[in-house]
Amino acid sequence: MTEFSFACTGVRADRYAAGPTLVFRLRVTAAGNARVHALALRCQIRIEPARRTYESAEAGGLADLFGDRSRWGSTLQPVQFAQVSLMVPGFTGETEADLVVPCTYDMDVAATRYLTALTGGEVPLLMLFSGTAFTGDGGFQVEPVPWDREATFRMPVATWREMIEQHFPGCGWIRLPRDTMDALLAYRSRHALPSWEATIEALLDDSGTPDPPASDPFRALTGTTGRTEP
């Protein structure tokens, strides 16, 4: 069976992608200068938060993920970042290929919240590989890529920020339930606000009204229940 090893040699933000995308450069080595006709890879990428230190500001931003800093000895567990597939063309001995990883700026995703909280330094990543290899000098044979193949990489936080800035320059977005969006639209219309930014700013400035129950998003935004009482 052919012995494969993997290494990540770099990462860049794809400035021409339709959405936020990172491109990792992989080096694939087949032991013994073996001939590989094709390699169908599956790659799982995890963030290993316990493998770096954190400043006080970063620790505050990570509290919703890992709790108070005093508990981090047990709560800094790996965070799923991505699962992607890659077809590596034929090669002999060693080759390099681009692993394209679509990303999201959805703050409901744990990996995004983690990366957004970091102010600098590097992100410790673990890449886990599996898949199928088509090998052989005469004809070909099918071999599995063992599940224990892996590579570590430290991605610069600056690369992540560059990618986000390319697609969301100076801003971000949040995902809201439909009833909350309807309530926001009603509030904006009632107050003749020119933009969503102005709507959110008006809500943040409106501190004279008692906080409504969290179960009623319409009342939270408009001060009324949005229901017709019998």
Side-chain angles (χ1 to χ4, degrees):
M1 182 178 291
T2 305
E3 187 77 12
F4 288 98
S5 60
F6 301 88
C8 182
T9 62
V11 64
R12 59 181 172 84
D14 187 349
R15 63 177 56 252
Y16 301 109
T21 303
L22 292 172
V23 181
F24 293 87
R25 190 66 174 171
L26 292 183
R27 179 182 297 128
V28 184
T29 303
N33 207 38
R35 183 180 179 185
V36 179
H37 299 289
L39 188 60
L41 282 179
R42 294 184 297 273
C43 180
Q44 180 181 159
I45 306 177
R46 297 178 184 171
I47 298 171
E48 301 272 277
R51 291 173 43 217
R52 62 159 282 169
T53 58
Y54 300 91
E55 299 177 357
S56 297
E58 293 174 327
L62 294 171
D64 64 328
L65 285 177
F66 306 120
D68 187 80
R69 195 163 193 162
S70 61
R71 301 175 50 216
W72 282 12
S74 60
T75 61
L76 284 185
Q77 299 300 316
V79 175
Q80 182 75 7
F81 181 57
Q83 282 188 300
V84 291
S85 298
L86 172 66
M87 181 62 72
V88 180
F91 64 95
T92 299
E94 185 174 279
T95 190
E96 292 194 354
D98 287 338
L99 181 68
V100 179
V101 179
C103 300
T104 178
Y105 199 24
D106 187 345
M107 293 301 290
D108 287 338
V109 177
T112 302
R113 297 208 308 274
Y114 174 86
L115 292 163
T116 302
L118 303 183
T119 59
E122 298 172 327
V123 183
L125 300 178
L126 177 64
M127 297 179 167
L128 305 170
F129 298 95
S130 62
T132 304
F134 302 89
T135 63
D137 291 326
F140 70 90
Q141 58 188 19
V142 180
E143 304 178 17
V145 176
W147 284 90
D148 62 352
R149 304 295 90 178
E150 61 182 44
T152 59
F153 182 68
R154 301 188 73 87
M155 178 179 72
V157 173
T159 303
W160 166 266
R161 294 191 175 278
E162 176 190 351
M163 176 196 70
I164 293 300
E165 188 64 20
Q166 287 172 3
H167 295 275
F168 302 99
C171 63
W173 63 275
I174 56 175
R175 182 160 51 96
L176 297 173
R178 174 63 62 186
D179 57 350
T180 304
M181 283 298 301
D182 290 344
L184 272 173
L185 182 59
Y187 181 91
R188 177 177 173 177
S189 298
R190 285 181 51 177
H191 294 270
L193 297 166
S195 66
W196 286 116
E197 181 180 1
T199 303
I200 299 300
E201 288 178 348
L203 286 166
L204 292 174
D205 290 340
D206 186 11
S207 58
T209 304
D211 291 336
S215 60
D216 191 338
F218 193 91
R219 180 182 291 176
L221 295 171
T222 66
T224 61
T225 64
R227 301 180 177 88
T228 301
E229 301 295 339

